[in-house]
C-alpha cells in the first residue's frame, strides 16, 4: 500500500487521514474545524454508542454512521462536549443511512468546541479505514523507534571514542538538520554548527537573544524565538546549555528532543574527558578560522567573534605570533591572563606545533606597542628563545588572515642574535632587510645553490690552503669597493689587499670593479652568513 508514503517520517494528522484513498472514496467534507486539521491522530475508533468518550484516551479519529446520535440538542451538546473533553482528534459521520446532511445541533456543538466535524457523502468500510490507519500508525511508530535507536547508537559511539564538543555538536546538527549551538553560563556561543542557515543568521545578537530564553531543568521549547534548550552539566552543576534553533520546515518533534538530550549527555561526558576549558578550545578554533581565512563571509566572522563576547566593530585588529617550544595550554593561559590584566580583549590559541597566535582587538585610543611588549616579556619568561612577531593593524576582522601572514613572514626572517631597531623585543614586517630575507629563505635550495656557485671555489681554496680570502672579500664589499678602507679593516697593507683581490678575481672569474658583480657577491656572502648562523 502507498497510503503511508508521505507520512512515514512525521505524525499522522487529521488532514493526512482524510487524504488516504480509503477515506477519500467517501468524499469527505470538513464542516467545522478547518483550521484544526493538523491535529495528531493516534488511533481510530468506530462507535455506535451514545457515550463513546468513556472508551477514548485522546487523539482518536471517531467514525460513526450517526445512528446512535441523540435527538435532543442538549444531549447532542453533551455528546460533543465529552468527545472534546477527552481530546478526540475529529468526528467523522457518514451521511448514508440515518442522515443526508449533518444535524444543525451537531454542527453548532462541534463549532462551539472547536472539534473538527467531517461528513462522508458515500459509503465507506470503517473496518478497512481502521486497518489502514492503524497499520500506518504502527509503521510510523516502528520507524520512529528505529530512528531513535540509531540516534542513541550514534551518540554512544561518539562517547566511546572520546569525541570532543565540536564533534558532538556537529553530529547533532547533522542528525536533526537544524542549527545547534553550545553556550556557557554567561551566554557566550562557544560552538555553532549551522544547518540551513549561516553563522551570521544563527549568532547575530546572540547574547541578548539568549538572555531572553529562560533556562529549564529539562529539554523543552522556550523563549520568544521558540528555541529547543537542554541543560549541560559538569560535576553535578549546570555548566551551560545546548540550543537547537527552529527551522522553517516545522516545529520540533520527538526525535529533535531525543537528539538534543543525547547531545547534552555526550557533552557532559566530553567535559569530564577533555581537560582543556571549552572557552579556550572555542577561542583556539575561532582563531584558526580567522588566521586560515576559513570563515564563509566577513559577516560570519564578525558574528562568531561577537558571540564569544569579544568586540567585532569599531576597533582595530592586530595579529601577534609567538614561535616557542612552550606552545601549550599553560602558555595559552599565561598569555590570556596577561591580556585580561591589561584589559585588552583578544583571542589566544595554539595555531600549530610551536606556534601560538594572538588576535588583539584594539580601540583607536589605545596604542598596541605596550601590549605587545608586555606579551613579549611573558613569552620570554616561558621560553628565553621565543620569537615574537606582529603583522600590520587591520580595521576589518576578515583581514586578520593578512595580519597573521605578515607576522609569520616577520618571524621566519628573525635572525638569532641580530638586534632589532630601537631595542624592540618583537619583530615587524618592516624589519626584513636583505639579511633577514635571506635568513627566511635559507632552506630554499635555489638560494643555497646560488651561494655555492658564487663563492664555493673561494671557500674551497681557503680550506685547502689555510688562507682567509673570504674575509678580505667581505671587508672589500662592506667598504663599497674602497681598497684603503678594506686594508684598514683587515689590518693589512694595501699591496697585500691588491694581491688578494686579484687572486679572488682569478678564482671566481669575476671583475670586482663591476658594481653588478660586487652586488651579486655581496648577496651570496650574506646568504652564506645566514646559513652558517643556523
Amino acid at each position: 500500500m502507498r497510503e503511508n508514503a508521505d507520512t512515514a517520517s512525521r505524525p499522522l494528522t487529521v488532514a493526512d487521514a482524510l487524504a488516504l484513498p480509503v477515506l477519500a472514496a467517501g468524499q469527505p467534507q470538513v464542516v467545522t474545524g478547518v483550521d484544526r486539521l493538523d491535529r495528531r491522530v493516534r488511533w481510530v475508533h468506530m462507535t455506535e454508542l451514545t457515550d463513546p468518550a468513556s472508551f477514548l484516551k485522546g487523539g482518536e479519529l471517531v467514525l460513526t454512521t450517526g445512528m446512535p446520535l441523540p435527538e435532543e440538542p442538549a444531549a447532542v451538546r453533551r455528546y460533543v462536549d465529552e468527545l472534546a473533553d477527552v481530546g478526540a482528534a475529529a468526528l467523522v459521520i457518514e451521511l448514508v443511512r440515518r442522515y443526508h446532511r449533518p444535524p444543525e445541533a451537531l454542527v453548532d456543538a462541534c463549532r462551539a468546541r472547536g472539534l473538527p466535524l467531517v461528513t462522508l457523502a458515500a459509503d465507506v468500510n470503517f473496518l478497512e479505514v481502521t486497518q489502514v490507519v492503524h497499520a500506518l500508525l504502527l509503521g510510523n511508530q516502528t520507524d520512529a523507534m528505529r530512528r531513535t535507536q540509531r540516534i542513541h547508537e550514534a551518540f554512544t559511539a561518539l562517547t566511546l571514542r572520546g569525541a570532543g564538543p565540536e564533534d558532538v555538536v556537529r553530529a547533532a546538527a547533522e542528525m536533526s538538520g537544524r542549527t545547534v549551538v553550545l553556550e556557557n553560563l554567561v551566554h557566550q556561543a562557544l560552538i555553532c554548527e549551522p544547518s540551513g542557515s549561516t553563522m551570521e543568521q544563527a549568532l547575530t545578537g546572540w547574547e541578548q537573544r539568549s538572555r531572553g530564553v529562560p533556562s529549564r531543568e529539562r529539554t523543552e521549547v522556550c523563549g520568544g524565538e521558540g528555541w529547543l534548550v537542554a541543560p549541560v552539566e559538569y560535576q553535578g552543576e549546570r555548566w551551560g546549555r545546548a540550543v537547537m534553533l527552529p527551522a522553517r520546515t516545522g516545529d520540533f518533534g520527538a526525535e529533535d528532543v531525543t537528539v538534543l538530550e543525547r547531545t547534552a549527555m555526550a557533552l557532559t561526558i566530553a567535559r569530564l574527558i577533555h581537560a582543556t576549558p571549552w572557552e579556550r578550545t572555542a577561542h583556539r578554533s575561532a582563531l584558526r578560522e580567522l588566521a586560515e581565512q576559513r570563515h564563509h563571509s566577513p559577516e560570519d566572522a564578525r558574528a562568531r567573534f561577537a558571540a564569544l563576547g569579544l568586540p567585532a566593530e569599531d576597533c582595530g585588529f592586530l595579529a601577534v605570533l609567538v614561535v616557542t617550544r612552550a606552545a601549550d595550554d599553560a602558555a595559552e593561559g599565561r598569555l590570556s591572563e596577561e591580556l585580561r590584566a591589561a584589559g585588552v580583549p583578544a583571542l589566544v590559541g595554539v595555531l600549530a606545533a610551536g606556534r601560538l597566535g594572538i588576535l588583539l582587538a584594539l580601540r583607536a585610543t589605545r596604542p598596541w606597542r605596550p601590549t605587545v611588549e608586555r606579551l613579549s616579556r611573558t613569552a620570554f619568561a616561558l621560553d628565553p628563545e621565543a620569537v615574537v612577531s606582529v603583522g600590520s593593524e587591520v580595521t576589518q576582522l576578515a583581514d586578520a588572515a593578512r595580519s597573521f601572514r605578515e607576522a609569520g613572514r616577520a618571524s621566519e626572517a628573525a635572525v638569532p642574535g641580530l638586534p632589532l631597531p630601537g631595542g624592540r623585543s618583537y619583530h615587524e614586517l618592516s624589519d626584513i632587510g636583505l639579511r633577514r630575507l635571506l635568513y627566511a629563505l635559507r632552506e630554499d635550495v635555489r638560494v643555497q645553490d646560488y651561494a655555492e656557485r658564487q663563492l664555493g671555489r673561494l671557500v674551497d681554496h681557503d680550506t685547502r690552503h689555510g688562507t682567509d680570502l673570504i674575509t678580505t672579500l667581505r671587508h672589500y664589499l662592506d667598504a663599497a669597493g674602497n681598497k684603503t678602507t678594506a686594508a684598514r679593516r683587515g689590518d693589512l697593507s694595501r699591496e697585500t689587499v691588491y694581491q688578494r683581490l686579484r687572486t679572488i678575481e682569478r678564482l671566481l672569474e669575476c671583475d670586482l670593479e663591476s658594481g653588478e658583480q660586487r652586488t651579486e657577491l655581496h648577496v651570496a656572502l650574506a646568504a652564506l652568513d645566514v646559513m652558517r648562523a643556523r
Side-chain angles (χ1 to χ4, degrees):
M1 286 184 292
R2 295 287 299 171
E3 284 86 357
N4 63 349
D6 298 327
T7 59
S9 61
R10 58 182 176 81
L12 185 74
T13 65
V14 174
D16 294 329
L18 297 179
L20 295 172
V22 68
L23 267 175
Q27 303 170 29
Q29 294 291 323
V30 180
V31 180
T32 66
V34 175
D35 58 339
R36 302 195 176 191
L37 297 183
D38 59 350
R39 284 183 170 182
R40 183 176 179 179
V41 175
R42 292 182 172 85
W43 210 242
V44 176
H45 184 75
M46 297 182 296
T47 183
E48 299 300 335
L49 300 176
T50 57
D51 59 342
S54 58
F55 297 93
L56 306 180
K57 293 184 178 181
E60 291 85 0
L61 186 69
V62 180
L63 307 179
T64 181
T65 61
M67 298 298 291
L69 284 178
E71 294 287 348
E72 299 81 5
V76 171
R77 285 196 298 272
R78 185 166 56 253
Y79 179 90
V80 171
D81 284 342
E82 290 177 355
L83 291 178
D85 290 342
V86 81
L91 175 62
V92 180
I93 181 172
E94 189 181 71
L95 302 181
V96 176
R97 293 167 176 82
R98 180 178 177 184
Y99 297 105
H100 295 289
R101 66 188 185 91
E104 291 296 331
L106 181 64
V107 174
D108 292 341
C110 288
R111 182 175 291 115
R113 291 304 305 270
L115 179 68
L117 174 63
V118 181
T119 62
L120 299 175
D123 192 20
V124 169
N125 187 326
F126 283 173
L127 180 59
E128 187 179 353
V129 173
T130 301
Q131 290 174 335
V132 169
V133 175
H134 286 180
L136 182 57
L137 289 171
L138 291 172
N140 282 355
Q141 291 174 6
T142 302
D143 289 342
M145 290 175 62
R146 290 196 187 105
R147 290 193 294 272
T148 299
Q149 182 63 26
R150 286 196 291 270
I151 291 169
H152 287 296
E153 290 173 352
F155 279 104
T156 299
L158 284 170
T159 300
L160 289 176
R161 67 179 175 85
E166 296 92 347
D167 298 323
V168 173
V169 173
R170 186 180 305 112
E174 290 173 353
M175 289 183 207
S176 64
R178 300 174 188 265
T179 296
V180 179
V181 179
L182 172 65
E183 68 167 14
N184 60 14
L185 286 179
V186 293
H187 303 278
Q188 293 175 348
L190 304 184
I191 302 173
C192 175
E193 193 65 36
S195 181
S197 65
T198 64
M199 192 78 74
E200 178 193 13
Q201 292 169 330
L203 295 183
T204 296
W206 178 263
E207 181 178 348
Q208 181 180 1
R209 292 160 59 202
S210 177
R211 290 186 180 278
V213 179
S215 295
R216 299 284 189 253
E217 295 298 324
R218 57 189 179 87
T219 303
E220 61 180 285
V221 177
C222 49
E225 294 185 39
W227 291 2
L228 183 63
V229 179
V232 177
E233 296 185 348
Y234 176 55
Q235 295 182 340
E237 296 184 357
R238 179 170 293 178
W239 176 88
R241 301 191 297 185
V243 178
M244 186 178 288
L245 301 184
R248 300 173 184 172
T249 54
D251 297 332
F252 295 109
E255 289 178 27
D256 296 318
V257 174
T258 300
V259 167
L260 201 63
E261 286 177 340
R262 287 307 308 264
T263 299
M265 291 173 58
L267 287 169
T268 296
I269 296 171
R271 188 69 183 86
L272 295 170
I273 296 173
H274 299 275
T276 303
W278 286 354
E279 286 83 359
R280 190 173 297 166
T281 302
H283 284 205
R284 186 182 298 173
S285 175
L287 192 67
R288 288 175 178 172
E289 287 183 7
L290 287 169
E292 298 168 14
Q293 212 163 11
R294 287 192 279 114
H295 45 267
H296 291 89
S297 68
E299 293 75 21
D300 277 6
R302 286 195 296 270
R304 175 82 186 277
F305 205 69
L308 288 171
L310 297 162
E313 303 283 353
D314 302 324
C315 61
F317 303 95
L318 182 79
V320 181
L321 188 64
V322 181
V323 179
T324 172
R325 297 167 297 178
D328 53 19
D329 290 351
E332 277 187 15
R334 284 283 301 276
L335 292 170
S336 297
E337 289 170 10
E338 283 294 330
L339 289 165
R340 279 194 294 271
V344 178
L347 287 179
V348 180
V350 176
L351 296 177
R355 294 165 71 87
L356 272 165
I358 305 166
L359 184 67
L360 305 177
L362 300 163
R363 299 298 180 187
T365 56
R366 182 162 195 163
W368 57 264
R369 295 184 185 277
T371 300
V372 177
E373 288 285 0
R374 184 170 183 170
L375 288 172
S376 297
R377 289 193 294 272
T378 303
F380 297 147
L382 293 168
D383 177 9
E385 297 182 10
V387 174
V388 180
S389 59
V390 300
S392 58
E393 187 174 1
V394 296
T395 57
Q396 298 297 322
L397 189 61
D399 294 332
R402 173 164 58 84
S403 188
F404 272 109
R405 285 195 299 270
E406 293 172 352
R409 288 163 56 192
S411 69
E412 291 170 357
V415 182
L418 196 64
L420 290 164
R424 278 193 278 108
S425 60
Y426 55 88
H427 300 262
E428 295 184 60
L429 197 61
S430 59
D431 296 332
I432 302 178
L434 175 62
R435 190 172 297 275
R436 295 182 188 276
L437 175 63
L438 291 170
Y439 186 78
L441 300 174
R442 63 193 181 279
E443 304 292 346
D444 194 317
V445 295
R446 292 170 296 183
V447 174
Q448 297 172 7
D449 178 67
Y450 177 80
E452 182 64 22
R453 283 189 291 104
Q454 291 287 336
L455 298 172
R457 284 169 291 178
L458 191 61
V459 174
D460 290 343
H461 182 277
D462 281 346
T463 303
R464 288 195 304 269
H465 300 282
T467 56
D468 195 13
L469 296 177
I470 198 79
T471 299
T472 301
L473 177 62
R474 183 191 310 281
H475 291 155
Y476 176 71
L477 295 175
D478 288 344
N482 188 306
K483 298 180 180 66
T484 302
T485 302
R488 185 172 63 253
R489 289 180 177 178
D491 196 20
L492 300 171
S493 66
R494 291 184 60 186
E495 290 74 14
T496 302
V497 169
Y498 291 158
Q499 180 184 359
R500 290 188 178 186
L501 291 177
R502 285 194 294 271
T503 302
I504 291 170
E505 287 180 321
R506 177 176 55 81
L507 290 171
L508 300 183
E509 299 178 356
C510 67
D511 178 11
L512 292 179
E513 295 298 321
S514 167
E516 181 178 350
Q517 292 190 18
R518 283 207 305 268
T519 300
E520 290 173 353
L521 290 172
H522 202 166
V523 172
L525 191 58
L528 186 64
D529 287 344
V530 298
M531 284 186 281
R532 285 177 172 177
R534 180 181 50 178

